[in-house]
């Protein structure tokens, strides 16, 4: 355990130095959405360094239509593939829903771009097949209008966020969030 | 003047006299004038000019803002309110908000009432007077049953789109009318709530269910000034009255989540329609527990631990309903095989809103249906509901909602909206068939609010033109090429060569394609708090003309159309307020609110 941790810590330290993140401040990201609002780009804090692939297990691609093998009025049936990937690294492509608060260390990944902001509107509701993406630190700018790829450890099981009361079933503890092309 | 007229009376014929009398009357009548209501620190709920059914229960609340004491004097027609209602008021002062509340009271007799309030505020003594009207009208021929069809967002234009697609038009004449258009009585209905010109489905359905206006997002309550969504003063609704006073059977049917605003407003009481967990659980309350509950939205009935649930507790409401004797069905085949003897039905056919007719019955794209490939249509749900409810000898009240007319117009998808309007119309046909055999049922068909959709002309690309240049206006608007060769009431092809040009008075930024979207697609998405055109769509960019905070087309304040037939339907005529739908139903059924009152 200790042997595996040390190169990781060293990697993180080296990465912090190289990227200047948290020390020199983030770079100015480019604009992605018209209207003069803050620019949308990937925070470097969530981008994985190039040596990451050496340190982590490979990520299995997981698509939204592979999450459930059955659906009925009595609930969704988790697919064998989803269940087999619990605790393993996966990569999923989707859209980031507008967050409840900019300070939250999670966001919701959806299959299609969200017309509604269920966190902000009094009436709107989430679709059934959403992924809660947990981050090591809050994000304040990610593109809502372009697909993003989230890589990280897959978690399953009902969980309630203590701060917001948000209930989730499928989560990714993200190590990388990047634009999907 | 008068002398001259009197002189003329002697000289002229009776006809001329009548004309002069009418003219004199008109000249002596002051012009109609109106003023804005004066601002007052005193709020009285129910509001000024509220109308009640005699015996209809409600909570009475007075709030005094900038109050310096909880000393509030309230009289009803000059009698102290506590004495009038025979109950002690709960009075309190919370910071500068004083309140005076008497719950669960009723006006027993028809007539007018004047409520007078006196209170002490920081600016000195304040007074407020409001007037109420109490009615107990009974139709000359009473209805045993009432079926209320609500086409959510079904504006006049939405109905016309359905008429064009379902019936067709030949050389300017429609080949036939819709079922809803072949009914004896028609009225224009105004829709505004007491807080705002433009209403929402909770507020408008609440007006139908209770006869009282409310505010956006509220149902079965007046809105007080506290944030708690469950403490607002309640008014009794049609389901509660039908059950309490006559032991009638009641039912709610919708293609949306059954906890969605329109069906929820028939039973629930909350200031906030998004309290779906509580609304679902509230349907178990014996005071307003419908005998038939059919729709989507199982997600609100399953325990939190079940994948797909949206509950935040571990209650399994499906099991709780079953324990009360409800037959549960989760698919079309299960609904159709429900035992004939069943008198209580719970049917939930999707975790979320049911899919729209076009996706469910025509296109059947597995990605869109997400595993729910055996959902019933609104015709079979309506038929099953009527068969079940009509077993009660005391009669029944049934509300059937075509929910996604609204949901699809919100996303500018008039084709999906129109197929759902036709589906609702065919469900109305099922009810009319029942009424024809029994003759004791009033059927009402009404929207709850309008949308800004208009039929501008037709659209085709025969000459190579595309986009706005292919919108055919005036003489170029050749007839659309929809056909219904199989006679099922739905056009065979939802996207023919010449289609309708439907354009919207209000919309977010979006890319207009004018053609059918093969999958349900939202026109705009939220990005950093602003609605932007969905980058996954193609077409001509149309800049939004409403605040960028809303990513959808929004409701219009336009008046809507109501049609009705059967005993009691003679009440509907001319221009009427939306609350009159409740009073028409109570009158048709001859509901006596005093029955069962303590």
């Amino acid at each position: 355990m200790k042997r595996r941790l040390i190169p990781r810590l060293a990697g993180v330290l080296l990465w912090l130095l190289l990227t200047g993140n948290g020390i020199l401040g983030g770079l100015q990201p480019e604009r992605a959405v018209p209207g003069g609002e803050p620019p949308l780009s990937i925070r470097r804090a969530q981008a994985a360094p190039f040596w990451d692939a050496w340190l982590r297990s490979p990520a299995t691609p997981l698509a939204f239509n592979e999450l459930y093998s059955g659906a009925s009025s009595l609930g969704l049936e988790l697919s064998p593939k989803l269940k087999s990937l619990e605790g393993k690294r996966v990569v999923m492509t989707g859209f980031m829903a507008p967050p409840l608060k900019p300070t939250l260390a999670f966001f919701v990944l959806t299959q299609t771009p969200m017309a509604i902001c269920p966190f902000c509107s009094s009436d709107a509701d989430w679709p059934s097949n959403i992924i809660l993406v947990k981050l090591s630190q809050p994000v304040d700018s990610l593109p809502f209008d372009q697909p993003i790829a989230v890589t990280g450890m897959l978690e399953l099981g009902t969980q309630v966020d203590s701060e917001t009361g948000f209930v989730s079933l499928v989560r990714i503890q993200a190590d990388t969030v990047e634009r999907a092309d | 003047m008068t002398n001259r007229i009197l002189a003329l009376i002697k000289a002229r014929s009776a006809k001329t006299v009548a004309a002069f009398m009418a003219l004199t009357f008109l000249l002596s009548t002051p012009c109609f004038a109106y003023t804005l209501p004066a601002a007052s620190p005193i709020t009285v709920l129910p509001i000024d000019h509220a109308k009640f059914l005699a015996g209809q229960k409600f909570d009475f609340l007075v709030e005094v803002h900038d109050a310096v004491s909880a000393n509030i004097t309230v009289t009803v027609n000059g009698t102290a309110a506590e004495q009038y209602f025979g109950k002690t008021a709960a009075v309190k002062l919370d910071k500068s908000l004083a309140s005076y509340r008497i719950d669960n009271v009723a006006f027993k007799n028809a007539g007018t009432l004047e409520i007078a309030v006196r209170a002490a505020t920081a600016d000195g003594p304040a007074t407020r007077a409001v007037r109420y009207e109490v009615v107990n009208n009974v139709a000359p021929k009473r209805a045993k049953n009432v079926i209320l069809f609500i086409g959510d967002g079904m504006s006049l234009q939405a109905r016309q789109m359905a008429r064009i697609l379902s019936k067709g038009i030949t050389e300017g004449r429609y080949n036939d009318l819709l079922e809803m258009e072949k009914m004896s009585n028609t009225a224009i209905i105004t829709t505004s709530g007491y807080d705002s010109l433009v209403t929402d489905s909770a507020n408008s359905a609440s007006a139908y269910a209770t006869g009282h206006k409310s505010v956006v997002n509220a149902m079965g309550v007046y809105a007080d000034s506290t944030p708690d969504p469950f403490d607002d003063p309640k008014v009794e609704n049609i389901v509660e009255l039908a059950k309490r006073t006559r032991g009638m059977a009641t039912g709610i049917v919708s293609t949306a989540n059954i906890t969605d605003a329109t069906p929820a407003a028939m039973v629930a009481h909350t200031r906030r329609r998004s309290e779906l967990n509580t609304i679902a659980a509230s349907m178990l309350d014996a005071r307003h527990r419908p005998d038939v509950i059919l729709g989507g939205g199982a997600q609100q009935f399953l325990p939190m631990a079940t994948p797909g649930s949206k509950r935040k507790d571990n209650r399994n409401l499906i099991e709780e309903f079953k324990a009360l004797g409800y037959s549960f069905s989760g698919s079309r085949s299960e609904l159709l095989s429900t035992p004939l003897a069943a008198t209580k039905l719970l049917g939930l056919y999707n975790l979320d809103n049911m899919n729209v007719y076009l996706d469910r019955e025509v296109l059947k794209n597995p990605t869109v249906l997400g595993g729910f490939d055996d959902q019933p249509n609104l015709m079979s749900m309506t038929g099953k509901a009527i068969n079940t409810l009509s077993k009660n000898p005391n009669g029944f009240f049934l509300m059937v909602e075509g929910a996604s007319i609204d949901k699809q117009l919100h996303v500018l998808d008039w084709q999906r909206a129109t197929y759902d309007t036709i589906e609702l119309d065919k469900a109305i046909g099922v009810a009319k068939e029942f009424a024809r055999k029994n003759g004791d049922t009033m059927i009402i068909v009404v929207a709850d609010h309008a949308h800004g959709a208009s039929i501008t002309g037709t659209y085709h690309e025969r000459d190579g033109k595309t986009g706005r240049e292919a919108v055919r206006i005036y003489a170029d608007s050749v007839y659309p090429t929809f056909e219904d060769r199989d006679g099922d009431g739905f056009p065979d092809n939802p996207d023919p060569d010449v289609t309708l040009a439907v354009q919207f008075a209000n919309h977010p930024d979006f890319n207009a394609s004018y053609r059918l979207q093969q999958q349900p697609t939202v026109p705009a998405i939220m990005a950093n708090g602003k609605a932007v055109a969905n980058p996954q769509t193609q077409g001509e960019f149309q800049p939004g003309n409403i605040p960028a905070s809303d990513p959808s087309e929004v409701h219009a304040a336009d008046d809507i159309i109501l049609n009705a037939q059967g005993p009691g339907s003679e009440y509907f005529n001319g221009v009427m307020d939306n609350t009159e739908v409740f009073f028409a139903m109570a009158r048709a059924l001859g509901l006596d609110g005093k029955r069962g009152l303590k």
Side-chain angles (χ1 to χ4, degrees):
Chain A
M1 185 69 196
K2 260 185 186 170
R3 269 191 210 151
R4 281 174 57 200
L5 197 63
I6 289 163
R8 279 194 191 192
L9 280 172
V12 169
L13 281 172
L14 186 60
W15 167 58
L16 277 171
L17 277 170
L18 285 174
T19 59
N21 183 73
I23 301 168
L24 303 173
L27 296 183
Q28 278 299 314
E30 66 198 83
R31 297 180 55 149
V33 164
E37 58 272 7
L40 300 170
S41 176
I42 310 304
R43 268 181 65 124
R44 294 177 62 86
Q46 303 299 331
F50 64 90
W51 57 81
D52 217 53
W54 309 336
L55 306 175
R56 298 178 202 270
S57 55
T60 308
L62 180 63
F64 272 94
N65 61 13
E66 294 174 324
L67 297 180
Y68 304 106
S69 52
S72 80
S73 298
L74 297 179
L76 298 167
E77 196 182 311
L78 307 187
S79 71
K81 179 173 181 180
L82 181 71
K83 285 193 274 195
S84 72
L85 289 171
E86 184 173 9
K88 303 203 173 106
R89 275 185 95 222
V90 296
V91 56
M92 285 196 73
T93 302
F95 293 84
M96 181 193 180
L100 172 58
K101 287 189 254 181
T103 55
L104 283 180
F106 74 81
F107 69 85
V108 174
L109 191 72
T110 59
Q111 186 170 17
T112 55
M114 291 292 287
I116 47 164
C117 170
F119 278 141
C120 354
S121 166
S122 60
D123 181 35
D125 206 353
W126 294 103
S128 290
N129 60 344
I130 55 166
I131 307 292
L132 189 138
V133 179
K134 300 202 285 190
L135 305 157
S136 49
Q137 58 176 285
V139 285
D140 51 15
S141 59
L142 275 170
F144 305 124
D145 60 340
Q146 292 173 34
I148 56 175
V150 175
T151 311
M153 204 66 80
L154 183 73
E155 293 178 11
L156 298 179
T158 303
Q159 202 173 82
V160 185
D161 180 66
S162 56
E163 187 182 343
T164 59
F166 188 79
V167 182
S168 60
L169 177 67
V170 182
R171 291 170 299 284
I172 295 175
Q173 176 69 55
D175 54 64
T176 310
V177 180
E178 60 194 2
R179 188 165 303 203
D181 295 311
Chain B
M1 181 76 176
T2 313
N3 285 345
R4 285 177 65 191
I5 289 169
L6 284 174
L8 282 165
I9 285 170
K10 289 170 189 165
R12 309 270 177 171
S13 70
K15 200 174 174 183
T16 317
V17 169
F20 270 92
M21 283 177 74
L23 186 65
T24 314
F25 175 76
L26 282 173
L27 288 172
S28 62
T29 306
C31 290
F32 173 77
Y34 73 98
T35 57
L36 294 174
S40 169
I42 300 173
T43 304
V44 182
L45 302 176
I47 57 170
D48 194 13
H49 294 107
K51 184 172 169 181
F52 302 74
L53 178 70
Q56 180 183 20
K57 295 201 276 189
F58 65 97
D59 299 335
F60 179 76
L61 174 68
V62 174
E63 286 187 333
V64 181
H65 301 269
D66 301 320
V68 291
S69 85
N71 192 6
I72 302 170
T73 311
V74 184
T75 59
V76 181
N77 280 356
T79 305
E82 290 185 321
Q83 190 186 334
Y84 184 91
F85 291 124
K87 280 190 166 183
T88 308
V91 181
K92 68 177 177 192
L93 179 67
D94 185 5
K95 293 173 188 151
S96 64
L97 179 71
S99 62
Y100 175 106
R101 180 167 180 147
I102 309 180
D103 281 350
N104 217 7
V105 293
F107 296 118
K108 296 196 174 72
N109 300 308
T112 55
L113 295 147
E114 179 159 325
I115 312 291
V117 179
R118 268 187 295 135
T121 72
D123 294 329
T127 61
R128 179 92 201 270
V130 302
R131 281 176 167 276
Y132 293 156
E133 182 187 3
V134 182
V135 297
N136 62 352
N137 299 325
V138 177
K141 180 174 188 265
R142 281 164 50 167
K144 182 182 176 189
N145 315 306
V146 168
I147 306 176
L148 172 64
F149 284 94
I150 300 180
D152 204 309
M154 188 177 65
S155 63
L156 177 60
Q157 291 68 31
R159 295 159 58 124
Q160 192 185 347
M161 290 172 213
R163 193 197 308 137
I164 294 171
L165 266 67
S166 179
K167 307 300 178 190
I169 178 167
T170 309
E171 293 183 325
R173 285 189 172 82
Y174 285 92
N175 302 322
D176 197 358
L177 298 178
L178 298 170
E179 288 288 353
M180 68 180 89
E181 293 172 322
K182 293 191 276 191
M183 297 172 81
S184 62
N185 285 68
T186 303
I188 292 171
I189 302 292
T190 64
T191 64
S192 297
Y194 78 79
D195 62 328
S196 54
L197 185 66
V198 182
T199 193
D200 81 319
S201 294
N203 189 8
S204 56
S206 184
Y208 298 158
T210 67
H212 292 261
K213 287 185 181 292
S214 191
V215 300
V216 168
N217 291 333
M219 58 183 78
V221 294
Y222 282 91
D224 67 17
S225 54
T226 67
D228 182 346
F230 299 111
D231 72 344
D232 302 76
K234 300 176 179 64
V235 285
E236 194 171 21
N237 60 45
I238 184 79
V239 167
E240 290 162 340
L241 278 159
K243 286 174 76 89
R244 175 172 71 80
T245 66
R246 195 175 290 169
M248 291 170 68
T250 57
I252 52 175
V253 173
S254 175
T255 48
N257 286 299
I258 201 66
T259 51
D260 201 22
T262 305
M266 297 300 123
V267 296
H269 302 271
T270 176
R271 169 70 181 83
R272 199 157 63 211
R273 58 185 275 181
S274 59
E275 299 289 345
L276 303 177
N277 278 191
T278 308
I279 288 169
S282 164
M283 289 182 183
L284 284 155
D285 186 332
R287 281 174 304 172
H288 51 229
R289 184 171 62 231
D291 302 283
V292 170
I293 301 171
L294 305 179
Q299 59 195 6
Q300 298 296 334
F301 291 71
L302 296 168
M304 182 170 74
T306 303
S309 166
K310 294 267 173 82
R311 288 200 71 77
K312 291 183 180 176
D313 59 30
N314 271 312
R315 285 181 72 175
N316 186 330
L317 303 187
I318 293 176
E319 290 303 323
E320 290 185 43
F321 273 106
K322 280 186 189 169
L324 288 164
Y326 281 71
S327 294
F328 175 76
S329 56
S331 65
R332 184 188 67 94
S333 27
E334 286 176 18
L335 172 71
L336 298 181
S337 61
T338 302
L340 285 173
T343 54
K344 293 184 182 119
L345 306 180
L346 174 65
L348 300 169
Y349 306 113
N350 200 311
L351 285 168
D352 202 340
N353 295 317
M354 291 173 65
N355 288 97
V356 298
Y357 188 91
L358 196 51
D359 292 320
R360 197 186 333 123
E361 307 262 354
V362 182
L363 303 174
K364 298 182 180 173
N365 180 337
T367 310
V368 173
L369 297 181
F372 291 93
D373 45 15
D374 189 29
Q375 301 170 68
N377 60 34
L378 195 56
M379 295 75 95
S380 49
M381 289 159 76
T382 303
K384 194 76 187 174
I386 291 172
N387 288 345
T388 306
L389 296 171
S390 58
K391 290 172 192 157
N392 186 319
N394 300 322
F396 67 86
F397 165 76
L398 170 65
M399 190 289 300
V400 178
E401 184 199 22
S404 289
I405 303 165
D406 172 72
K407 295 183 195 304
Q408 294 303 317
L409 289 175
H410 271 302
V411 292
L412 308 173
D413 194 334
W414 68 266
Q415 292 95 336
R416 282 184 171 76
T418 301
Y419 273 68
D420 273 37
T421 306
I422 298 171
E423 184 183 33
L424 177 71
D425 194 58
K426 288 176 70 79
I428 292 162
V430 172
K432 283 171 76 174
E433 184 58 22
F434 170 81
R436 192 181 61 77
K437 287 183 197 145
N438 294 276
D440 53 6
T441 301
M442 177 166 77
I443 300 174
I444 301 170
V445 182
V446 66
D448 53 351
H449 56 75
H451 275 276
S454 187
I455 307 166
T456 322
T458 53
Y459 182 90
H460 68 77
E461 299 174 353
R462 285 173 172 172
D463 54 6
K465 288 180 181 170
T466 58
R468 61 187 284 190
E469 297 306 326
V471 173
R472 312 296 164 158
I473 57 175
Y474 294 113
D476 293 332
S477 62
V478 294
Y479 283 108
T481 50
F482 292 101
E483 281 187 299
D484 176 23
R485 285 176 176 270
D486 62 9
D488 68 351
F490 297 90
D492 306 331
N493 178 3
D495 196 25
D497 170 33
V498 185
T499 187
L500 294 180
V502 175
Q503 296 182 301
F504 290 81
N506 80 78
H507 55 78
D509 282 6
F510 79 110
N511 300 315
S513 80
Y514 299 96
R515 284 289 180 189
L516 175 72
Q517 309 264 8
Q518 285 307 313
Q519 291 192 26
T521 309
V522 296
I525 63 161
M526 293 306 289
N528 279 351
K530 285 190 175 170
V532 297
N534 184 348
Q536 311 288 301
T537 57
Q538 271 139 27
E540 276 176 354
F541 178 73
Q542 308 244 341
N545 59 3
I546 51 169
S549 55
D550 204 308
S552 56
E553 187 269 357
V554 297
H555 299 174
D558 303 353
D559 295 340
I560 51 175
I561 302 294
L562 177 147
N563 300 91
Q565 67 169 45
S569 62
E570 67 281 355
Y571 190 78
F572 291 110
N573 187 21
V575 180
M576 302 177 88
D577 187 72
N578 60 357
T579 53
E580 289 301 321
V581 172
F582 168 84
F583 293 102
M585 297 192 295
R587 173 183 172 275
L589 293 167
L591 288 183
D592 178 4
K594 293 197 294 298
R595 262 214 206 158
L597 267 192
K598 281 167 200 159

